[in-house]
Amino acid sequence: MNQAQTLSAAADITTQAPPAVAKAGKTAEALHELVLGQLDDDQAQEVVSIPLQGKSSIADHMVIASGRSTRQVAAMAQKLAEKIKQEGFGSVRIEGLPTADWVLIDAGDVVVHLFRPEVRSFYNLERMWGFGDSNAATGTA
């Protein structure tokens, strides 16, 4: 998948209705904490969480993280999707898993972007979605 196809796939996923996540009293904040915890367990690098509530209707949180290789990115994406389902938040949509340069996980209230470092620096989503805020939580897992 080339860069134009990847951008097109990412745009397509955000135009679709997100899966329902508020099942059995589960909240967006609980899902966000689950995502951050799982990425920490999987040794994701340069984890950034951007709050979108009130700024965009696509999600309440956007989480961006890097993996050291395509293999790690793919493994993190698969484990995260399984964990979200196990914890009762329902199924997620995953785009970009075959090449694993940029994997998008749409969990409804939380959208996760997992990148290889070179691809992440090329697209620079933090700058695009940061809204000039200093509220984005950053850290290394």
Side-chain angles (χ1 to χ4, degrees), residues 22-79:
K23 296 178 181 175
K26 303 284 184 174
T27 66
E29 291 305 317
L31 176 60
H32 182 240
E33 291 300 318
L34 173 79
V35 166
L36 293 177
Q38 185 63 45
L39 291 175
D40 185 46
D41 291 348
D42 291 340
Q43 299 178 355
Q45 299 177 332
E46 299 179 40
V47 178
V48 175
S49 179
I50 301 171
L52 297 178
Q53 193 168 19
K55 298 175 184 174
S56 176
S57 62
I58 64 168
D60 288 344
H61 299 279
M62 179 180 294
V63 177
I64 304 170
S66 297
R68 293 180 298 277
S69 65
T70 55
R71 183 174 290 193
Q72 185 189 19
V73 169
M76 286 190 306
Q78 290 171 331
K79 285 179 70 178

Side-chain angles (χ1 to χ4, degrees), residues 1 5 16-17 44 50-51 53-54 59 64 74 86 88 91 95 99 104 107-108 111 117 122 126 132 138:
M1 181 180 281
Q5 290 170 325
Q16 299 172 0
I50 301 171
Q53 193 168 19
I64 304 170
Q86 284 175 353
S91 296
E95 295 288 332
T99 57
L104 177 103
V111 175
F122 179 80
E126 293 94 329
T138 61

Side-chain angles (χ1 to χ4, degrees), residues 87-101:
E87 294 295 322
F89 289 99
S91 296
V92 300
R93 281 191 229 125
I94 301 177
E95 295 288 332
L97 197 54
T99 57
D101 286 334

